[in-house]
Amino acid sequence: MSRHETSPTTVQPASHHRPNACCFCWCCCCSCSWNEDRERAWRAGRETKLETIPNCEACTKPTPEEVRGWAQSFDKLMKSPAGRNVFREFLRTEYSEENMLFWLACEELKNECNTHTIDEKARMIYEDYISILSPKEVSLDSRVREVINRKMQEPSSHTFDDAQLQIYTLMHRDSYPRFLNSAIYKSLLQSVSRSSSES
């Protein structure tokens, strides 16, 4: 190991200043920055380019009806910024947060109109989530990877549509049922139900 490389087990001193503090201080996931030091360790020496995605999306406190609605359908959960934040926090506990980060990056790309920016963002997404060299590589089948590699010759805002759908389906089938049974979701449901009955 050269002196410029950092061992993956080396943990840097924790910063006391957290610019992207969790917007979820009203619920059970206010420790959403718990793994910053762990992430910093494996990111050492490698700049992650997609730093535009904040720790949490800006959102308002969900109503008890909204939180209960997340159990009715995965679509309802994913259409709610608050729902995505809580689900992302759950994915973080399962070490699969990159699935949500990739999905959000694809959504951002689809809303982009500037050709130069599309090209730049597509390459960043590829490097961060598709490349086999990335520590945040998402799990995709070979057919979807081939499609992406072809489309990357001339990237568009829809280059990753097939991959995004595959990751959405994976989160729906694999992580979502566990999320509904998780302490994170159950305690949030209790918390919002209690605060609404008190008001």
Side-chain angles (χ1 to χ4, degrees):
M1 186 181 289
S2 77
R3 63 192 177 88
H4 296 296
E5 290 174 337
T6 307
S7 162
T9 55
T10 306
V11 176
Q12 312 262 321
S15 165
H16 295 295
H17 177 64
R18 286 187 169 140
N20 292 325
C22 181
C23 60
F24 260 55
C25 52
W26 45 263
C27 85
C28 56
C29 69
C30 53
S31 62
C32 78
S33 302
W34 69 271
N35 67 346
E36 281 182 355
D37 294 338
R38 182 177 57 82
E39 285 180 351
R40 207 175 283 118
W42 60 250
R43 275 189 192 169
R46 179 187 179 273
E47 276 297 311
T48 299
K49 298 176 181 64
L50 281 174
E51 289 305 328
T52 52
I53 298 167
N55 276 353
C56 286
E57 294 178 78
C59 61
T60 55
K61 180 177 176 177
T63 63
E65 294 72 34
E66 189 180 354
V67 176
R68 280 193 286 272
W70 299 341
Q72 292 165 8
S73 88
F74 185 60
D75 287 343
K76 280 187 180 177
L77 174 73
M78 290 295 281
K79 282 176 181 164
S80 157
R84 288 193 298 269
N85 279 342
V86 179
F87 186 53
R88 180 174 163 185
E89 179 59 24
F90 169 74
L91 292 175
R92 197 174 288 192
T93 68
E94 295 205 327
Y95 304 98
S96 58
E97 185 189 14
E98 67 278 357
N99 290 333
M100 178 65 86
L101 293 175
F102 171 68
W103 189 87
L104 288 168
C106 291
E107 285 296 288
E108 195 180 295
L109 180 67
K110 284 196 282 198
N111 293 323
E112 191 55 65
C113 300
N114 181 291
T115 314
H116 176 71
T117 310
I118 286 171
D119 191 77
E120 203 172 73
K121 282 188 177 179
R123 293 186 194 290
M124 288 177 186
I125 290 171
Y126 188 91
E127 272 181 45
D128 274 355
Y129 302 106
I130 310 299
S131 168
I132 57 169
L133 301 173
S134 172
K136 293 192 292 185
E137 179 195 2
V138 293
S139 179
L140 298 169
D141 65 35
S142 57
R143 181 194 63 82
V144 169
R145 284 183 177 279
E146 281 171 28
V147 169
I148 290 172
N149 287 335
R150 273 201 310 274
K151 289 183 174 178
M152 281 303 291
Q153 290 165 14
E154 282 184 45
S156 78
S157 56
H158 296 280
T159 294
F160 302 101
D161 283 2
D162 289 350
Q164 188 186 19
L165 178 61
Q166 195 167 92
I167 293 303
Y168 185 89
T169 306
L170 175 71
M171 290 191 291
H172 185 187
R173 289 184 183 159
D174 188 51
S175 307
Y176 176 61
R178 288 196 300 277
F179 166 73
L180 295 179
N181 289 311
S182 70
I184 286 178
Y185 178 65
K186 286 178 177 174
S187 57
L188 172 60
L189 192 54
Q190 263 182 344
S191 160
V192 292
S193 299
R194 195 166 46 242
S195 61
S196 79
S197 63
E198 286 167 1
S199 57

